[in-house]
Amino acid sequence: MREQFISLAYLVASILFIMCLRGLSSPEQGRRGIFLGELGMLIAVVATLFKAEIITFEWIIAGLLLGSLIGTAISLRIPMTQMPERIALSHAFGGLATSLVGVAEYHRVRDIAAQLATDAITVAQAGHGMTRLEMGSLGFEVFLGSLTFTGSLMAFGKLQGFITGAPVTWKGQNLMNFGAFGGAIVLLVYQVIFLADAPQWMFFTMCGTGFSLGVLAVLPIGGADMPVVISLLNSYAGLAACATGFALRSNILIISGALDGSSGLLLSLLMSKAMNRSFANVLFGAFGTGDSGGVTAPGAGPARAFNDATIEDAAAVLAASQTVIIVPGYGMAVSQAQHAVRDLAAALEKNGTEVKYAIHPVAGRMPGHMNVLLAEANVPYDALFDLDMINDDFARTDAVIVVGANDVVNPGAKTDTKSPIYGMPVFNVEQARSVIVLKRSMNTGFAGVENELFFLPNTMMVLGDAKKTLISLFGAVKGDGH
Amino acid sequence: MREQFISLAYLVASILFIMCLRGLSSPEQGRRGIFLGELGMLIAVVATLFKAEIITFEWIIAGLLLGSLIGTAISLRIPMTQMPERIALSHAFGGLATSLVGVAEYHRVRDIAAQLATDAITVAQAGHGMTRLEMGSLGFEVFLGSLTFTGSLMAFGKLQGFITGAPVTWKGQNLMNFGAFGGAIVLLVYQVIFLADAPQWMFFTMCGTGFSLGVLAVLPIGGADMPVVISLLNSYAGLAACATGFALRSNILIISGALDGSSGLLLSLLMSKAMNRSFANVLFGAFGTGDSGGVTAPGAGPARAFNDATIEDAAAVLAASQTVIIVPGYGMAVSQAQHAVRDLAAALEKNGTEVKYAIHPVAGRMPGHMNVLLAEANVPYDALFDLDMINDDFARTDAVIVVGANDVVNPGAKTDTKSPIYGMPVFNVEQARSVIVLKRSMNTGFAGVENELFFLPNTMMVLGDAKKTLISLFGAVKGDGH
Amino acid sequence: MSDDLVFGLYIFALATFVGYQVISRVPPLLHTPLMSGTNAISGISLVGSLVAAGGKHDLTSSILGFVAVTAASINVVGGFMITDRMLRMFNKKKSPALPPAAAAGAKRPVKTA
Amino acid sequence: MSDDLVFGLYIFALATFVGYQVISRVPPLLHTPLMSGTNAISGISLVGSLVAAGGKHDLTSSILGFVAVTAASINVVGGFMITDRMLRMFNKKKSPALPPAAAAGAKRPVKTA
Ligand SMILES: NC(=O)c1ccc[n+]([C@@H]2O[C@H](COP(=O)([O-])OP(=O)(O)OC[C@H]3O[C@@H](n4cnc5c(N)ncnc54)[C@H](OP(=O)(O)O)[C@@H]3O)[C@@H](O)[C@H]2O)c1
Ligand SMILES: NC(=O)c1ccc[n+]([C@@H]2O[C@H](COP(=O)([O-])OP(=O)(O)OC[C@H]3O[C@@H](n4cnc5c(N)ncnc54)[C@H](OP(=O)(O)O)[C@@H]3O)[C@@H](O)[C@H]2O)c1
């Protein structure tokens, strides 16, 4: 009876989780959604504490307290620009938890089996032994969990720069990885067949393979591709959770896992589609270098002439413009320039200029990256327009300010069939009367390709850190010189 | 093992059913969706035939053959205008099937219980007795099934006119119905508690109550409200199917039932919303008379002057119009005028007139009624526009042809706060330069309210059967007089 | 409260979500096909009927089952056939009866004063 | 093949449908909150960890469980807090910094030549 009530509570929790994600379909309902999610989690945890298997609480309480402390600390102190890192890190925690749960369960079951063999306990006490389903899903869970753990740590490292963002590759790398993967599968199958008769080292070897594969698989992927990797790991984590659900016969784990998994999968598909790259290309293409500028583009050679402009030039152009579109990119995140952008926009609007923001689906390094940053600088989201909504307006616009964007404003993506980003939809900024580009140098962006835009006659390059430049521009526009 | 394979097959079938409904989100994918649905059904049936419980096949084959024959016959011979009737009828079949399955199962289980009591068979042969869950869901299933059966038959009768469309009401009617409902519930609860010890008459009384409630509940509802009733019965049928699923431990029944139920519920909500009436009002309001004109509106009194126009007048106006909007209504269905409408539109377009169709969400007597009829007359669906898409265009339109529509073009819904349809969104036809209304008389429509539109100076009433009128109009417009 | 009940509730809850979301994506244009489509699917009660009809428990059950099978298969066959017939009628391109010019004109509400 | 497996597959299939449909309705505007939101929900592995930590099987299990509980609750607490913090930042009406006129202008892409 108690068991059934607990799983009814889990059902309620699962429904609340679904409502939580439904809430995210609009900013208005978002917070209510999150509240429902929290409620669901509370219900699930409380219900679990009633389980008969739970005898002692000290470890639980300790863990909950410690976890909540760390969680709160992180979430309070992390700047919005660090979101990708934070998400990578929490995937690592998730993977770790899943994999440890699996190991603990395996340890328990094997122990019981052993005691049973030595007649230390009776079959009655032992309860049902391990079924093939359990063994299979345990293996899956631990393998995927470990892989997610190390993989996400690697991603975190590459984003933070502890680990070189450049793809680390060597001959036969993919072959080796696939070999390791195959090996793990073989071990799992053997254990599923022979259950308790299979030696324990097999389980732990499999688990170890997971850990190392996480590292090996991410090494050859460029730092800037980490967002795709992170979303992909997200869906692995989801699958691992489902496996846990199968192993522990817990529907709520299966449901949440499925929700998690589909979200990860959809987002990574979205990203690779928007960058028009295939999954295979992202995972095995050793593409993208993370630190923009690392790659010197082919066409670079001797420095080409470009229109190197001063703050004053730019301010003059802006002063003369009725309509301005701001195109933020990864650079805005790097220089944390979102507030400076907001101030400049406000100043322009005070002068009667109409200001809009053009947000590219893959601007920045994470889906919705720019939206969050601008929201933080409390730019109203109805001033943000995506590709198809605004792309025709550039031709009718007096001035475009490109704040640390590069690939998403690269006309080559439309014209140059040999360009690696050919076919990726980009903004038609070059059609505007004049384009002001804020970046630190003439270096390339994520994709490492030269950007013809920077050399067009109607483009003014204002080099320097975006934030600094914007602040001076703000001063110049306000007219108080700075 | 076999059982598991069967339920895997059911899982596949369920997924195919979901895909089937997903397909209906666009006309292009619709047919593919239906194919998937058929495939799913095939898989489910075949899988079922492998069940261990199935010993003899003659009754099955006979039933399948007979059913398929009747089904094919009906679906080939039924005209599109009869859709509401057809759907009502098939709900009746559905309800019957569900309720009979329940009765048969009950009969079987009670038999076994009896034999067991007289030691005619051993417990082993008997298998598990009836659980409370089974009893409860069986009761639910049979009750809802019977109610759906007779209720749908009533709806069918009212639509066909066997039974008066007018609401049949008497004092204490609702009280009586609720009483009967309560009684059935009490019986069910008693049986769930005492299981095999409960006398069988209780079960059959409950079943009988279901049958009579179906009749009693639909009697007081006006014929024109039948579409709402039908959709509501649809969701009951869905619930009944779910109950069957619980009783027979069959997930596919639960899933299909849930799909069916949510569709019925959503559609009936949509309808009552578009008519802005509450469910309660529809079910207990004794509203709407079905045969339009039955109710004489308050304001009617002595015949008021209206602009009684001839075919020639109308043809002249149309000849002089650059833009024409056609507003079809229930009358188009009654007079089967969809092809005549199409021909007239074609003739007008040949003369260089631009023709569009305005489709109201509740025009006709069933959701999507007008769309199907016009599709049958092969009017391309991208020439059909719904309320919010076209409502602003009327002001810019030379002529509107109202083909047997009334309530959906009643300006009173916008202005007259006392009108029963006040607040229901309607087309702004009166804003067009001239309005041509085709109907047989000055009678009111479904809601039984006078329509000011018919008395406006820019409205021409061309009385007579819509089809006949349209054909003569066609002739007149083509210019060959006749 | 039995496991079966709880488990059934899980299926029911999830299926209801799926149903709600799938159905709400169906445009009014296709509401009639939707009605007859779900109708056909509801014929799945055939599964229950088959067991009753083939159970060989006694004549009563068999006859009840037979009638149920008949009724259910009327829905399945009829429902799918009609829905398909309807969907076949929906076509985007103009019928030959109408000149292409008009087709173009009708693509979207033309805002001509 | 056990009943549990089949049951699990039903839940999995339905939940995946729900997930797919719910997620695909999330606008790009909220993709980052979505990522951290699902992150918090994935912290549900807490349920499994609690059992391991409270099982009192032996020290190893308890410690493994303890670490798992910690890791999972970091995700739950952190995830929900950050997502909420983000969503609080999204607001429709203009910030005081900007004149209402501009707000009106920015409501939709104004087609001014
Ligand atoms: N959003 C996603 O989900 C996602 C995921 C994976 C990959 N990507 C990829 O990331 C790219 C995003 O395009 P993007 O145009 O936003 O960024 P980008 O192409 O990477 O270019 C960013 C530019 O910002 C400049 N920059 C860096 N730090 C700066 C600072 N402090 N001040 C001023 N400028 C600075 C850099 O030029 P300098 O070095 O000269 O300053 C660089 O050229 C796309 O190629 C996309 O495919 C996106
Ligand atoms: N669509 C749905 O799902 C649904 C469901 C339930 C209720 N309803 C209700 O049904 C109504 C639909 O509005 P509606 O304007 O389409 O229809 P309506 O208001 O019922 O009016 C139909 C009109 O057609 C005329 N008519 C009937 N037979 C005709 C023939 N052979 N030739 C020419 N005209 C004929 C009738 O006038 P004469 O008698 O003078 O000819 C009648 O006034 C709404 O009130 C709606 O709420 C709709």
Side-chain angles (χ1 to χ4, degrees):
Chain A
M1 201 59 187
R2 166 195 269 185
E3 276 307 314
Q4 275 95 27
F5 272 114
I6 294 180
S7 62
L8 271 190
Y10 284 165
L11 174 55
V12 176
S14 316
I15 293 174
L16 286 169
F17 290 160
I18 296 174
M19 312 278 269
C20 167
L21 293 182
R22 284 180 69 88
L24 288 178
S25 55
S26 90
E28 291 81 9
Q29 305 159 24
R31 293 195 63 195
R32 217 183 105 272
I34 293 303
F35 170 73
L36 294 179
E38 291 164 343
L39 188 64
M41 192 59 75
L42 184 70
I43 294 177
V45 171
V46 173
T48 312
L49 295 180
F50 282 101
K51 273 184 178 282
E53 299 94 312
I54 296 189
I55 308 154
T56 62
F57 289 89
E58 60 271 7
W59 291 103
I60 294 181
I61 294 165
L64 284 175
L65 284 180
L66 183 57
S68 314
L69 278 178
I70 303 178
T72 320
I74 294 182
S75 57
L76 287 183
R77 307 194 34 270
I78 186 124
M80 282 302 149
T81 42
Q82 296 284 307
M83 265 308 141
E85 288 81 348
R86 145 131 204 327
I87 288 174
L89 206 53
S90 56
H91 284 323
F93 290 133
L96 181 64
T98 336
S99 130
L100 289 185
V101 172
V103 174
E105 174 71 6
Y106 179 79
H107 172 73
R108 195 181 60 79
V109 178
R110 286 306 293 256
D111 248 22
I112 291 171
Q115 293 173 349
L116 201 57
T118 60
D119 300 327
I121 56 171
T122 70
V123 180
Q125 290 166 300
H128 73 89
M130 173 151 53
T131 69
R132 294 217 151 67
L133 172 61
E134 265 177 311
M135 185 61 234
S137 14
L138 267 185
F140 228 126
E141 169 190 352
V142 170
F143 181 71
L144 280 177
S146 324
L147 191 150
T148 313
F149 176 56
T150 49
S152 309
L153 281 183
M154 286 293 296
F156 177 73
K158 284 204 173 211
L159 287 170
Q160 282 288 20
F162 304 152
I163 306 163
T164 165
V168 180
T169 55
W170 59 84
K171 238 178 111 300
Q173 187 174 33
N174 293 336
L175 199 75
M176 165 175 157
N177 293 354
F178 282 118
F181 184 77
I185 299 300
V186 172
L187 287 177
L188 180 55
V189 171
Y190 184 94
Q191 295 178 84
V192 169
I193 296 172
F194 295 97
L195 294 174
D197 306 336
Q200 301 213 16
W201 63 261
M202 284 195 170
F203 187 82
F204 294 105
T205 316
M206 194 177 64
C207 171
T209 321
F211 282 118
S212 24
L213 259 181
V215 179
L216 292 173
V218 177
L219 265 181
I221 305 178
D225 268 337
M226 284 308 124
V228 187
V229 174
I230 292 172
S231 298
L232 213 54
L233 288 170
N234 188 351
S235 53
Y236 292 166
L239 279 182
C242 289
T244 322
F246 277 97
L248 307 180
R249 296 188 179 60
S250 162
N251 294 333
I252 192 173
L253 278 168
I254 299 183
I255 295 176
S256 324
L259 294 177
D260 206 18
S262 32
S263 133
L265 196 63
L266 278 170
L267 287 180
S268 37
L269 282 171
L270 172 134
M271 279 187 264
S272 32
K273 202 165 129 294
M275 317 188 329
N276 79 336
R277 313 239 318 268
S278 70
F279 262 2
N281 177 301
V282 170
L283 297 181
F284 311 116
F287 179 97
T289 65
D291 52 279
S292 39
V295 172
T296 46
R304 290 170 53 190
F306 62 89
N307 175 352
D308 193 348
T310 68
I311 302 287
E312 289 61 30
D313 307 335
V317 169
L318 290 177
S321 309
Q322 259 106 56
T323 53
V324 170
I325 296 181
I326 298 178
V327 182
Y330 177 58
M332 181 178 84
V334 177
S335 67
Q336 312 222 9
Q338 59 270 31
H339 297 89
V341 169
R342 193 270 325 275
D343 295 337
L344 178 60
L348 289 171
E349 287 179 322
K350 251 205 212 64
N351 303 352
T353 315
E354 184 216 327
V355 181
K356 283 182 280 175
Y357 297 82
I359 309 297
H360 193 280
V362 292
R365 287 292 181 271
M366 159 175 82
H369 200 171
M370 298 297 119
N371 306 85
V372 181
L373 295 181
L374 291 172
E376 185 192 15
N378 99 59
V379 174
Y381 58 79
D382 48 17
L384 313 180
F385 299 95
D386 49 24
L387 205 56
D388 43 2
M389 280 173 73
I390 204 169
N391 223 1
D392 304 338
D393 296 7
F394 284 103
R396 286 190 238 81
T397 302
D398 298 335
V400 171
I401 311 177
V402 175
V403 183
N406 189 338
D407 297 343
V408 301
V409 295
N410 188 336
K414 291 177 286 185
T415 53
D416 174 5
T417 50
K418 286 177 306 310
S419 161
I421 61 170
Y422 178 72
M424 155 172 168
V426 293
F427 288 124
N428 303 326
V429 284
E430 70 280 3
Q431 300 177 356
R433 184 142 340 125
S434 48
V435 180
I436 300 170
V437 177
L438 315 185
K439 63 201 298 282
R440 296 167 307 186
S441 68
M442 294 308 285
N443 288 344
T444 57
F446 159 77
V449 287
E450 195 69 10
N451 190 339
E452 278 310 315
L453 174 73
F454 303 157
F455 304 100
L456 295 178
N458 64 336
T459 303
M460 312 168 78
M461 301 297 298
V462 185
L463 299 186
D465 176 80
K467 189 173 186 175
K468 293 202 186 61
T469 315
L470 283 161
I471 291 171
S472 350
L473 257 177
F474 175 68
V477 168
K478 284 248 305 310
D480 58 24
H482 75 100
Chain B
M1 200 58 186
R2 170 194 267 187
E3 276 308 313
Q4 276 94 25
F5 272 115
I6 294 179
S7 63
L8 272 190
Y10 284 163
L11 175 55
V12 176
S14 315
I15 292 174
L16 287 168
F17 289 161
I18 297 173
M19 311 278 269
C20 167
L21 293 183
R22 282 180 70 88
L24 288 178
S25 55
S26 90
E28 290 82 8
Q29 307 158 24
R31 293 193 64 194
R32 215 182 108 274
I34 293 304
F35 171 73
L36 294 180
E38 291 163 343
L39 188 64
M41 193 56 76
L42 184 69
I43 293 177
V45 170
V46 173
T48 311
L49 295 179
F50 280 101
K51 272 184 177 281
E53 299 94 313
I54 295 189
I55 307 154
T56 62
F57 288 90
E58 60 270 7
W59 291 104
I60 293 181
I61 295 166
L64 285 176
L65 284 180
L66 183 56
S68 314
L69 277 176
I70 303 178
T72 321
I74 293 182
S75 58
L76 287 183
R77 304 193 37 269
I78 185 123
M80 281 303 149
T81 43
Q82 296 283 308
M83 264 308 142
E85 289 81 348
R86 144 127 205 331
I87 287 174
L89 205 53
S90 55
H91 283 323
F93 290 134
L96 182 64
T98 335
S99 131
L100 290 185
V101 172
V103 174
E105 174 71 5
Y106 179 78
H107 171 74
R108 194 180 62 76
V109 179
R110 286 306 293 256
D111 247 23
I112 291 171
Q115 291 171 350
L116 201 56
T118 61
D119 299 329
I121 55 170
T122 70
V123 179
Q125 291 165 298
H128 73 89
M130 171 150 56
T131 68
R132 294 216 151 65
L133 171 61
E134 264 178 311
M135 184 62 234
S137 14
L138 267 185
F140 228 127
E141 168 190 352
V142 170
F143 181 71
L144 280 177
S146 325
L147 192 151
T148 312
F149 175 56
T150 49
S152 308
L153 281 183
M154 286 293 296
F156 176 73
K158 285 204 174 211
L159 287 171
Q160 282 288 22
F162 304 151
I163 306 163
T164 167
V168 180
T169 56
W170 59 84
K171 241 179 110 297
Q173 187 175 33
N174 292 337
L175 200 76
M176 168 176 157
N177 292 354
F178 282 116
F181 184 76
I185 299 299
V186 171
L187 289 177
L188 180 54
V189 171
Y190 185 94
Q191 296 178 83
V192 169
I193 296 171
F194 296 97
L195 292 176
D197 307 335
Q200 301 213 15
W201 65 258
M202 285 195 171
F203 187 83
F204 294 106
T205 316
M206 194 178 63
C207 172
T209 321
F211 283 119
S212 23
L213 260 182
V215 179
L216 293 173
V218 177
L219 266 179
I221 304 177
D225 268 336
M226 283 310 124
V228 188
V229 174
I230 291 172
S231 298
L232 213 54
L233 287 171
N234 188 353
S235 52
Y236 292 165
L239 279 182
C242 289
T244 323
F246 278 96
L248 308 179
R249 297 187 177 60
S250 162
N251 294 332
I252 192 171
L253 279 167
I254 300 182
I255 295 175
S256 323
L259 294 177
D260 206 18
S262 33
S263 137
L265 196 62
L266 278 172
L267 288 180
S268 36
L269 282 172
L270 172 134
M271 279 187 264
S272 33
K273 203 163 129 293
M275 319 190 321
N276 79 336
R277 314 241 317 270
S278 70
F279 262 3
N281 178 300
V282 170
L283 297 182
F284 311 116
F287 180 98
T289 64
D291 52 277
S292 38
V295 172
T296 46
R304 290 171 52 190
F306 62 89
N307 177 351
D308 193 347
T310 67
I311 302 288
E312 288 62 31
D313 308 334
V317 168
L318 291 177
S321 310
Q322 258 106 58
T323 53
V324 169
I325 296 181
I326 298 177
V327 181
Y330 176 58
M332 182 177 83
V334 178
S335 67
Q336 311 221 10
Q338 59 270 30
H339 297 90
V341 169
R342 194 267 326 277
D343 294 338
L344 178 59
L348 289 172
E349 286 179 322
K350 248 201 217 64
N351 303 352
T353 315
E354 184 217 325
V355 180
K356 283 183 280 176
Y357 297 82
I359 309 296
H360 193 282
V362 290
R365 287 292 180 271
M366 153 175 89
H369 199 171
M370 297 296 118
N371 306 83
V372 180
L373 294 181
L374 291 172
E376 185 193 15
N378 98 60
V379 174
Y381 58 79
D382 48 16
L384 313 180
F385 298 95
D386 50 24
L387 205 55
D388 44 0
M389 280 174 72
I390 203 167
N391 223 1
D392 303 338
D393 295 7
F394 285 104
R396 285 189 238 81
T397 303
D398 298 334
V400 170
I401 310 178
V402 174
V403 183
N406 190 338
D407 299 342
V408 301
V409 295
N410 189 336
K414 290 178 288 185
T415 54
D416 173 5
T417 49
K418 286 175 307 308
S419 162
I421 61 171
Y422 177 71
M424 154 172 167
V426 293
F427 288 124
N428 303 327
V429 285
E430 70 281 3
Q431 300 178 356
R433 185 145 336 129
S434 47
V435 179
I436 301 170
V437 177
L438 314 185
K439 65 199 297 281
R440 295 167 310 185
S441 66
M442 295 307 286
N443 288 343
T444 57
F446 159 75
V449 288
E450 197 69 9
N451 190 337
E452 279 311 313
L453 175 73
F454 303 158
F455 304 100
L456 296 179
N458 63 336
T459 302
M460 313 168 78
M461 300 299 295
V462 185
L463 298 185
D465 175 79
K467 189 173 185 176
K468 291 202 189 62
T469 316
L470 283 162
I471 290 173
S472 351
L473 259 177
F474 175 68
V477 167
K478 286 246 305 310
D480 57 26
H482 77 106
Chain C
M1 189 165 56
S2 72
D3 277 334
D4 291 323
L5 174 60
V6 175
F7 187 76
L9 288 176
Y10 270 92
I11 300 284
F12 179 69
L14 288 172
T16 310
F17 263 110
V18 175
Y20 175 81
Q21 289 166 326
V22 172
I23 305 289
S24 48
R25 285 181 51 216
V26 178
L29 176 71
L30 294 180
H31 274 164
T32 304
L34 172 65
M35 286 177 101
S36 60
T38 49
N39 225 274
I41 291 178
S42 73
I44 189 67
S45 50
L46 191 51
V47 166
S49 328
L50 290 173
V51 175
K56 208 186 182 87
H57 172 68
D58 65 3
L59 191 63
T60 328
S61 312
S62 306
I63 293 178
L64 289 173
F66 164 73
V67 181
V69 171
T70 315
S73 40
I74 291 178
N75 276 0
V76 172
V77 177
F80 279 127
M81 282 182 73
I82 291 201
T83 315
D84 192 58
R85 185 177 139 203
M86 275 190 238
L87 290 169
R88 238 183 292 121
M89 301 185 319
F90 285 92
N91 57 346
K92 192 174 197 124
K93 61 207 160 333
K94 276 278 177 185
S95 61
L98 310 178
K107 274 280 175 297
R108 72 174 48 71
V110 186
K111 307 274 180 208
T112 46
Chain D
M1 189 165 56
S2 73
D3 276 335
D4 291 323
L5 174 61
V6 178
F7 282 174
L9 288 176
Y10 269 93
I11 301 284
F12 179 69
L14 288 172
T16 310
F17 263 110
V18 176
Y20 175 81
Q21 289 166 325
V22 173
I23 305 290
S24 47
R25 285 182 51 218
V26 177
L29 176 71
L30 295 180
H31 274 165
T32 305
L34 172 64
M35 285 176 102
S36 59
T38 48
N39 226 276
I41 291 180
S42 74
I44 189 65
S45 50
L46 191 52
V47 167
S49 329
L50 290 172
V51 175
K56 207 185 182 88
H57 172 68
D58 67 2
L59 192 64
T60 328
S61 311
S62 306
I63 292 178
L64 288 172
F66 164 73
V67 181
V69 171
T70 314
S73 40
I74 292 179
N75 275 0
V76 173
V77 176
F80 280 126
M81 283 182 72
I82 291 202
T83 315
D84 192 57
R85 186 177 139 205
M86 274 192 238
L87 289 169
R88 235 182 295 119
M89 301 186 318
F90 284 92
N91 58 346
K92 192 175 200 122
K93 62 211 158 334
K94 277 277 176 185
S95 62
L98 309 177
K107 274 278 175 299
R108 69 176 49 72
V110 187
K111 309 275 181 209
T112 46

